Amino acid sequence: MRSRVLSGMRPTGALHLGHYHGALKNWVRLQDEYDCFYFVADWHALTTHYEETGVIEQNVYDMVIDWLAAGLDPEKSTIFIQSRLPEHAELFTLLAMGTPLGWLERVPTYKDQIEKLKDRDLATYGFLGYPLLQAADILIYKAAWVPVGEDQASHVELTREVARRFNHLYGRAANFEAQTKAALAKLPKDDARYFERQRKAFGETGSAEALAKGEAIVAKAAAQLEGWTEADGELLLGHLKGSGKSILTEPQALHTEVAKLPGLDGAKMSKSYGNAVLMRDEPEVVAKKIRGMATDPARVRRTDPGEPEKCPVWQFHKVYSDEATRDWVQQGCRSAGIGCLDCKQPVVDAIVREQQPWRERAAAYTANPKQVHWIVEMGTERARTVARQTMKDVRAAMGLAY
Ligand code: TRP
Ligand code: SF4
């Protein structure tokens, strides 16, 4: 069986080239190798934009059309919408019971986003809890891999801790307790006490140092103690890390080399910054946007030489141009042999060429919105089968299967 990949995107409406090169292109590639689940994280949009509900539906379908346009194939990938699966909310609620507040307060994106989105009131319960909702999104499908950008790596890490804690609290074999106690009793008294202190520290704070200190005690016992067995070591390591029987699967972040495409002004591409080229922009619009791009400020006149490294257009060449074209840019820019408009033309051509199949596929879907709804409906039902099974296991483990 192919291992499962899961990822989600907030519904921000029609996608831009930054979304494509940063994530979507990779999603398309993954669907040939993995059992891919891709969903619209519409509840996540509400964690920051809870007042703007009027645009959600349109944004959801515009985004799904761009997914399909880019080549996500509903025959290969399961495409669905988070809010159609209340199971995500149920798992979120159950996980919330045992998740320490500190784990959420310490997620780096929490303070970052509050700083960044100063104009919004993000002192909400939903915003603090959103990485835990993300954990539920991932764990409910027992995903092995989560393709996310650097900025989301800490959320996958939190997900792993949440899964570990869940398995520890609710997944222990019947005699795990007694066996662990027996292994602990073999340790010298001081070591046992020290070990328990490290375990507690690791469980509460996730401190890598505490984990290493605990592991060192086990290693020492294995090297020095009479009558110590490998099984004793495994038990104590499981005890230390809080892993019992595995009900929820610890996922791993899947980092793939992706081409970084900045916005027209060199900053991060974002619709709200007004520096984006949309996947479905018409060719004339693409040409106009690229021709209007800022260039190396040192090139005031056509005869002034420039430096590609100081020019956002060069970043586009790095994504879109072959080596010969890139050489032509470097040479021509530094010697003032080419003008900036000459330099931009191959980028315009490459983007328009890239967009061609997207435009064709998107046209078919926009002409037939029912088909898009139907694709999402199919995916949602497929996802529901998996989510329901996980919730059965979770309820049973927590004594809620009455
Ligand atoms: N938090 C992600 C974002 O803002 C979207 C997301 C929600 C997600 N749930 C997820 C991504 C689960 C990967 C896995 O981009
Ligand atoms: Fe930028 Fe190209 Fe102009 Fe050089 S020639 S400044 S790389 S647009």
Side-chain angles (χ1 to χ4, degrees), residues 40-294:
V40 180
D42 52 351
W43 284 341
H44 285 265
L46 292 174
T47 61
T48 49
H49 293 64
Y50 48 87
E51 287 166 318
E52 292 161 34
T53 53
V55 293
I56 298 181
E57 183 175 1
Q58 184 69 42
N59 282 353
V60 166
Y61 286 105
D62 279 344
M63 183 167 84
V64 170
I65 286 177
D66 281 336
W67 288 3
L68 298 168
L72 280 197
D73 178 350
E75 298 286 324
K76 294 178 186 162
S77 294
T78 300
I79 297 170
F80 60 102
I81 298 176
Q82 180 183 36
S83 64
R84 297 292 320 278
L85 289 140
E87 287 86 352
H88 289 228
E90 184 184 357
L91 184 56
F92 170 61
T93 300
L94 294 177
L95 295 175
M97 303 307 170
T99 301
L101 263 185
W103 287 13
L104 292 167
E105 287 162 348
R106 266 195 305 275
V107 171
T109 50
Y110 181 60
K111 287 199 181 94
D112 286 1
Q113 290 292 100
I114 286 185
E115 270 299 298
K116 243 191 175 154
L117 305 175
K118 272 219 172 83
D119 54 322
R120 289 176 194 284
D121 181 8
L122 293 181
T124 59
Y125 183 60
F127 185 66
L128 176 65
Y130 115 81
L132 188 63
L133 178 59
Q134 183 165 356
D137 299 335
I138 297 167
L139 295 173
I140 204 162
Y141 300 107
K142 303 194 171 172
W145 302 101
V146 184
V148 286
E150 278 302 315
D151 58 323
Q152 300 268 313
S154 62
H155 296 178
V156 179
E157 202 39 57
L158 174 78
T159 304
R160 293 169 60 80
E161 281 166 17
V162 168
R164 210 178 294 142
R165 188 178 177 88
F166 184 93
N167 292 335
H168 173 61
L169 289 172
Y170 310 114
R172 279 175 289 180
N175 55 354
F176 182 84
E177 211 92 39
Q179 288 178 330
T180 305
K181 236 185 184 160
L184 270 174
K186 291 187 187 177
L187 294 177
K189 281 239 154 39
D190 285 350
D191 281 7
R193 230 175 288 131
Y194 180 80
F195 179 84
E196 282 296 90
R197 263 208 310 280
Q198 305 312 322
R199 180 183 67 79
K200 226 172 141 235
F202 178 65
E204 281 164 9
T205 66
S207 151
E209 197 191 337
L211 178 65
K213 284 179 177 166
E215 285 172 338
I217 293 288
V218 176
K220 188 174 123 194
Q224 299 178 356
L225 282 187
E226 283 286 330
W228 185 261
T229 66
E230 211 172 304
D232 289 329
E234 278 171 14
L235 266 170
L236 286 198
L237 288 179
H239 182 50
L240 174 67
K241 293 182 199 154
S243 55
K245 188 176 134 215
S246 165
I247 296 167
L248 298 177
T249 308
E250 282 185 45
Q252 274 180 282
L254 186 62
H255 295 298
T256 323
E257 258 322 303
V258 288
K260 264 254 179 306
L261 189 72
L264 295 166
D265 53 1
K268 187 179 155 105
M269 190 180 282
S270 163
K271 259 198 289 196
S272 57
Y273 300 164
N275 66 357
V277 178
L278 298 185
M279 283 179 64
R280 278 185 276 153
D281 270 343
E282 292 298 328
E284 311 80 67
V285 177
V286 173
K288 193 159 161 256
K289 285 181 175 175
I290 299 296
R291 288 197 189 115
M293 275 179 82

Side-chain angles (χ1 to χ4, degrees), residues 294-296 299 306-308 311-314 317 329 332-334 338-341 343-344:
T295 58
D296 176 359
R299 277 204 92 177
E307 173 50 54
C311 176
V313 177
W314 173 241
H317 276 293
V329 171
C333 179
R334 289 182 181 134
I338 59 170
C340 290
L341 281 177
C343 177
K344 289 168 171 177

